[in-house]
Amino acid sequence: MPGQQGAERAVQTFPGRRQPGAGRLIAAGRRYQQLPAGLESLKIVPRQADTVQSAHLGPGRLDHGDTLRHQLADRDRHRQRSQRGNQEKLRPKTERMNKGKKGHYRIRAVNEACAHLATTLFHIFDARPFSDNRRSTTTRANRITAPHGQTDYHPDHLSRMHPPGGSVPITPSCRTALASLLLAAWTGAVHSQAPADSALPDATAGRLRLEAKLKGMGIGTDKPFSMPASIDSARQIKRALQDTERPARQTLVDGLVIRFRAAEIQALSARNMSPPDELVTRLNSIAGGKLRFQRAMAMGFHVFRFAAPLSAIEAGAILTEIRKLPEIEQASEDFRSTRTFTPNDPGFSRQWNLASPILYKGGINLPSSWDMSTGSTGTVVAVLDTGITAHSEFQSRLLPGYDFISDPRFSNDGNGRDADPSDPGDWTVDHECGPGVPGTDSSWHGTHVAGILAASGNNGSGIAGIDWQARILPVRVLGKCGGSVSDIIDGLLWAVGLDVPGAPANPTPARVVNMSLGGWSPGGCTYAYEEALNRVRSTGALIVAAAGNNDDEAANYVPAACDGVMTVGAVDHDGYRASYSNYSLVYNVSVSAPGGDISYYGTQGAGIYSTLNSGTKWPVASTYGYYQGTSMAAPHVAGIAALALAKDPEISPELLYFSIYLSSHDFPADSLCSSTAQTYLLCGSGIVDAYQTLLTVLALQPYLLVTEYYNVDIRHYFRTGARSDSAFILAGNAGNGWRDTYDYFFAWRDGSSGAQPVCRFYGKGPNSHFYTADARECEAVKGFEGWAYEGIAFYMKVPTNGICPAGSVPVHRLYNNRFAYNDSNHRFTTDMTVVGQMMQAGWLYEGIKMCGA
Ligand SMILES: [Ca+2]
Ligand SMILES: [Ca+2]
Ligand SMILES: [Ca+2]
């Protein structure tokens, strides 16, 4: 029987996909089941599950001589004719179709009832494995699985079916015909399935292609490609160097900043006067005669200088002694500072984390970028954390937010969820968070994170944040003893404007979400997190998460291990991985940012200085202080993302990610994380760099990243450069079955640089999209019945005689040649590998039709 021949051929053509003894059933692209032994594959594609008219067989080799004829079931004949007429203009070579009764599969020598049944069958079932008897034409269905929890159908059930409108007896000949039809559909499906299978989305390959493309555009060219030597060699090197990873630091400390306990001495500072001579003398003797008073400083501090800069270790030793004095309230190093655009916030001198990498390898290069942007009030950044306390550094830019802690035992505000995300404190007493767990003072963690991100700069007080204009959306998810994943996920979804039961709609969805939190998860990203993060990404938001503070593989922590999250490790001021920071041998850390390393240096000044509250339990007064952690590193990245969005609110999340990723500066050459080490990417691509990121974002501004989606159910490729389209598809609003193919190309955003508008058309019949940069073709297709003009998709250059203008990238057009089955599809790609795959799968190559950036 012809169908069986087709089956054999198909198996030979695609041997790689055959599982001996157990084939794979792909039913409507979404249901995966094991097939009985001897059956490789079957795909039945109902166009819409709810109407008989839309029942549709997978196209391919259905026309097997006299065995059976397949008639399109879902056409209004008039529309079909006119559409074909139009199609033929586009595609002169078309297959002739048999005509049959509308709404029926015509099966020769089988009665109408059977034909009706065939239609019904295809309508009802989207999954039906059956065995093929290769010895005869009496192949028969032996098991039919009905979707939606309906009964399973066994061979005997085929003797009587119950289509709508009454029961129909099935004769043996009808049964044979139906089985043949199924088999034919199957063989057809094996062929038509090929393009989809060969183009199964591969996110990693897609990202690497995008990275290569950006490098080709001159972005991140100083970086090695994101493909390190091997995980094995990385592991060995990691083990071998574990103890020697941190060479002696050469950081020099200029002096110390000290606040004395006595109110009258702080008052002297406020009057710009020195502390009493006897205290200065005592400090100097502790410092071996090297310490001199320099000047008074804000907030009651006094600044001291060493005669010559000391190493961090020498300075640390002196600090330790000085801190023992009862007169001292606070003392820390004064690291060397820069003067590019130095904001007048008095605490800025402690913010090594924002400095140029020339001064501190671990700095994120802010002073220069503030000349370009200090942010925009249009940018909303969500801080998923312990809530927020009042602080003049960001109070005016706080959005209402929400408190998602559902358990009053941990919320510490006397109730469950509520509309007030203010942080009442998260102090605990001994054993409160578990046996043996000591109590702690309130952390004001969310306040510290918010300050790093968005404290007002150049306002003459306190510190400078990274983005001075962005609005902060406080989402409270962490209380006493941490937070539950369920609360965190609810908060995450709400932050970007998605629905959360019981919570009011979020009127100010965030474009950046900072998650300075994480939990141990030996299996990596959990299903719930993965799904939530996919939904969040579909809104176009960038998710920034801390890698974790466990000096461990980040793949074991969530959300750090989750795909698509910008996971941030921590470095110290020299740019070495912080002693506590998680790393990743499997590339789960995206980038590093300053988290400080108080643990290693033993001095507060090695930490990150930001906004805090002075209360040990409940909030008392706003203040400032040092913390260390990947929690502090993450908001540096979120802040840079916010600055970038201020420069270009239209940038896609993918490009935003890569702009930050490829703009990072390198770790010290002797660091295991360095781009010259075989363990490159252990700590991500580098230390984030605000200035370089902004330059990258500006360089990309004329362009649009065009993404491609493929629907496995209806085998339909769709390209768009609009974030709203992507969000619509990825949120499931365009139906099921859509996948990102990660096959990107660049277009122009407008008609500058000589780019021409690309017309987008939608053909309702074949459910297909068509694009053209050719103005004449655009006008012609506008006249075709059945094709709706959907506007200008993006701008591309036009090839002349198949040759693209200099500097532009050829975009190839392919056609699936399935017009006969009303399944016309075009695919556009710049990737010759994809071109080859599609041609191997039977698609027709149509040449270079437009030229991208
Ligand atoms: Ca509450
Ligand atoms: Ca509350
Ligand atoms: Ca400030």
Side-chain angles (χ1 to χ4, degrees):
M1 163 183 169
Q4 284 177 350
Q5 274 184 351
E8 296 291 352
R9 259 202 316 278
V11 169
Q12 285 158 8
T13 311
F14 305 105
R17 284 201 304 281
R18 188 181 181 187
Q19 298 273 331
R24 198 146 204 230
L25 173 66
I26 304 166
R30 59 178 183 274
R31 176 174 299 214
Y32 295 83
Q33 296 175 5
Q34 290 306 111
L35 292 187
L39 187 65
E40 281 82 40
S41 167
L42 169 67
K43 178 165 182 171
I44 305 292
V45 183
R47 281 207 176 272
Q48 295 163 17
D50 56 342
T51 62
V52 173
Q53 274 76 10
S54 64
H56 178 79
L57 279 178
R61 304 181 167 273
L62 291 179
D63 188 357
H64 298 302
D66 288 331
T67 310
L68 54 92
R69 292 282 171 198
H70 167 234
Q71 168 59 36
L72 297 174
D74 55 342
R75 298 298 108 73
D76 170 291
R77 258 186 269 169
H78 170 73
R79 197 185 71 193
Q80 189 185 341
R81 263 200 306 275
S82 62
Q83 199 170 282
R84 183 181 307 165
N86 292 337
Q87 275 276 14
E88 275 166 354
K89 290 178 202 160
L90 285 176
R91 172 136 314 290
K93 189 179 165 222
T94 58
E95 290 178 32
R96 191 180 62 82
M97 284 302 299
N98 277 349
K99 295 208 169 160
K101 277 195 174 176
K102 183 168 77 173
H104 287 73
Y105 294 91
R106 199 170 78 187
I107 302 170
R108 183 164 290 186
V110 176
N111 62 27
E112 279 301 302
C114 187
H116 183 84
L117 174 64
T119 310
T120 310
L121 205 61
F122 283 103
H123 157 46
I124 293 176
F125 306 113
D126 67 359
R128 63 192 102 207
F130 63 100
S131 71
D132 60 350
N133 181 336
R134 289 164 193 272
R135 287 184 304 251
S136 74
T137 57
T138 56
T139 304
R140 67 191 188 104
N142 69 348
R143 183 184 164 84
I144 294 173
T145 308
H148 317 307
Q150 293 171 36
T151 327
D152 279 2
Y153 285 78
H154 288 275
D156 292 347
H157 292 115
L158 270 182
S159 63
R160 184 160 284 272
M161 291 290 295
H162 303 275
S167 110
V168 179
I170 301 181
T171 62
S173 64
C174 177
R175 191 194 296 177
T176 305
L178 287 175
S180 303
L181 187 62
L182 287 167
L183 183 60
W186 163 44
T187 41
V190 169
H191 286 275
S192 63
Q193 190 68 26
D197 282 357
S198 60
L200 277 182
D202 181 342
T204 306
R207 288 200 198 97
L208 289 173
R209 275 203 302 271
L210 182 54
E211 184 180 338
K213 169 68 187 163
L214 289 165
K215 281 175 184 294
M217 294 168 83
I219 293 161
T221 42
D222 55 331
K223 286 200 169 328
F225 212 58
S226 293
M227 278 303 232
S230 82
I231 292 176
D232 276 349
S233 69
R235 286 212 176 96
Q236 284 164 12
I237 291 164
K238 166 77 182 161
R239 247 181 251 120
L241 299 188
Q242 205 123 39
D243 299 329
T244 58
E245 186 187 340
R246 315 184 125 262
R249 308 304 169 88
Q250 288 158 18
T251 310
L252 298 178
V253 180
D254 284 345
L256 303 174
V257 290
I258 291 172
R259 185 159 69 190
F260 296 93
R261 204 173 295 279
E264 56 269 25
I265 302 179
Q266 293 188 23
L268 287 175
S269 160
R271 296 205 300 274
N272 203 18
M273 293 167 71
S274 65
D277 286 348
E278 80 230 33
L279 276 174
V280 176
T281 310
R282 235 158 85 206
L283 293 179
N284 189 30
S285 70
I286 289 172
K290 297 174 190 163
L291 198 63
R292 300 181 181 18
F293 169 72
Q294 191 188 36
R295 64 181 174 90
M297 192 184 136
M299 299 190 304
F301 278 86
H302 286 100
V303 181
F304 293 77
R305 280 275 170 272
F306 294 117
L310 299 183
S311 73
I313 291 168
E314 288 173 298
I318 293 169
L319 257 182
T320 306
E321 291 307 308
I322 285 178
R323 286 196 181 118
K324 289 178 183 165
L325 296 179
E327 291 86 353
I328 303 292
E329 187 207 83
Q330 277 194 43
S332 51
E333 307 90 330
D334 199 2
F335 289 120
R336 194 177 300 160
S337 194
T338 171
R339 301 281 178 271
T340 311
F341 166 39
T342 309
N344 62 14
D345 309 80
F348 183 71
S349 60
R350 304 167 183 208
Q351 295 183 273
W352 59 263
N353 48 310
L354 307 187
S356 153
I358 297 165
L359 288 155
Y360 293 105
K361 193 76 176 162
I364 66 168
N365 209 4
L366 265 170
S368 346
S369 39
W370 281 326
D371 292 337
M372 294 168 72
S373 174
T374 60
S376 157
T377 53
T379 315
V380 175
V381 184
V383 176
L384 262 69
D385 219 292
T386 60
I388 199 84
T389 57
H391 207 297
S392 58
E393 291 277 31
F394 48 67
Q395 196 64 20
S396 62
R397 290 176 286 121
L398 277 185
L399 289 163
Y402 207 77
D403 178 351
F404 278 92
I405 304 177
S406 47
D407 189 336
R409 274 185 308 155
F410 301 119
S411 69
N412 211 16
D413 65 354
N415 57 24
R417 294 186 173 179
D418 63 82
D420 176 9
S422 62
D423 188 345
D426 56 1
W427 82 90
T428 55
V429 296
D430 289 350
H431 315 298
E432 190 176 354
C433 297
V437 179
T440 58
D441 288 346
S442 288
S443 68
W444 316 115
H445 189 269
T447 301
H448 202 267
V449 166
I452 294 168
L453 228 162
S456 293
N458 210 31
N459 66 343
S461 106
I463 57 157
I466 293 163
D467 187 314
W468 304 347
Q469 320 288 341
R471 286 177 298 161
I472 297 293
L473 183 71
V475 181
R476 187 167 180 248
V477 294
L478 302 176
K480 283 171 178 268
C481 318
S484 69
V485 169
S486 53
D487 285 344
I488 292 168
I489 286 178
D490 273 359
L492 176 62
L493 296 172
W494 185 85
V496 296
L498 297 171
D499 290 341
V500 175
N506 171 9
T508 49
R511 285 291 303 275
V512 183
V513 181
N514 187 82
M515 300 179 77
S516 286
L517 51 89
W520 166 248
S521 174
C525 195
T526 63
Y527 178 80
Y529 249 125
E530 196 76 66
E531 175 165 346
L533 291 166
N534 282 337
R535 285 167 189 246
V536 169
R537 276 200 303 276
S538 79
T539 67
L542 182 71
I543 305 150
V544 180
N549 301 341
N550 318 83
D551 188 18
D552 191 6
E553 167 61 55
N556 299 329
Y557 297 84
V558 288
C562 296
D563 199 28
V565 168
M566 189 137 215
T567 300
V568 187
V571 290
D572 64 20
H573 51 271
D574 284 340
Y576 290 90
R577 181 175 72 90
S579 54
Y580 55 81
S581 177
N582 285 355
Y583 50 85
S584 182
L585 293 166
V586 290
Y587 326 130
N588 269 316
V589 175
S590 312
V591 286
S592 285
D597 205 342
I598 299 172
S599 308
Y600 181 78
Y601 292 100
T603 60
Q604 292 289 306
I608 304 294
Y609 192 62
S610 182
T611 47
L612 276 179
N613 194 282
S614 62
T616 54
K617 287 188 165 60
W618 45 86
V620 176
S622 62
T623 180
Y624 301 85
Y626 290 98
Y627 274 162
Q628 67 173 4
T630 52
S631 278
M632 282 61 249
H636 285 84
V637 180
I640 291 175
L643 286 182
L645 282 166
K647 270 281 162 226
D648 182 6
E650 296 305 311
I651 193 167
S652 72
E654 293 88 1
L655 280 191
L656 181 54
Y657 182 103
F658 266 105
S659 296
I660 298 170
Y661 184 90
L662 291 176
S663 302
S664 56
H665 58 258
D666 203 0
F667 303 92
D670 58 352
S671 163
L672 276 182
C673 305
S674 153
S675 67
T676 53
Q678 281 191 66
T679 37
Y680 175 51
L681 295 181
L682 197 68
C683 315
S685 69
I687 301 161
V688 291
D689 190 306
Y691 182 60
Q692 294 300 331
T693 300
L694 292 188
L695 291 181
T696 297
V697 167
L698 285 179
L700 289 173
Q701 205 146 32
Y703 309 114
L704 198 57
L705 183 68
V706 177
T707 49
E708 185 187 55
Y709 301 92
Y710 175 70
N711 190 305
V712 294
D713 290 358
I714 56 175
R715 289 166 301 179
H716 172 186
Y717 288 96
F718 174 68
R719 278 205 176 267
T720 183
R723 265 202 319 120
S724 54
D725 282 344
S726 297
F728 190 77
I729 288 172
L730 294 173
N733 294 329
N736 294 324
W738 289 99
R739 310 273 187 276
D740 191 338
T741 67
Y742 301 101
D743 183 2
Y744 306 106
F745 60 65
F746 279 88
W748 283 269
R749 288 188 192 183
D750 55 36
S752 56
S753 328
Q756 300 298 311
V758 172
C759 301
R760 184 173 113 189
F761 294 95
Y762 176 61
K764 199 173 176 187
N767 195 0
S768 176
H769 277 91
F770 181 77
Y771 304 78
T772 180
D774 181 330
R776 273 184 305 179
E777 192 173 35
C778 178
E779 286 313 305
V781 178
K782 276 179 184 171
F784 292 175
E785 201 177 326
W787 284 90
Y789 173 62
E790 294 195 326
I792 297 168
F794 33 78
Y795 291 77
M796 300 284 267
K797 291 183 179 172
V798 183
T800 312
N801 299 324
I803 309 232
C804 282
S808 63
V809 180
V811 176
H812 307 275
R813 188 167 97 190
L814 292 132
Y815 176 66
N816 70 347
N817 202 18
R818 291 200 296 255
F819 168 73
Y821 306 101
N822 199 22
D823 186 33
S824 301
N825 263 306
H826 290 89
R827 189 171 184 192
F828 298 83
T829 184
T830 55
D831 188 335
M832 283 314 289
T833 314
V834 172
V835 170
Q837 281 169 351
M838 302 310 279
M839 287 176 70
Q840 204 172 10
W843 285 51
L844 301 176
Y845 179 68
E846 297 195 324
I848 294 164
K849 297 295 182 184
M850 44 180 125
C851 312

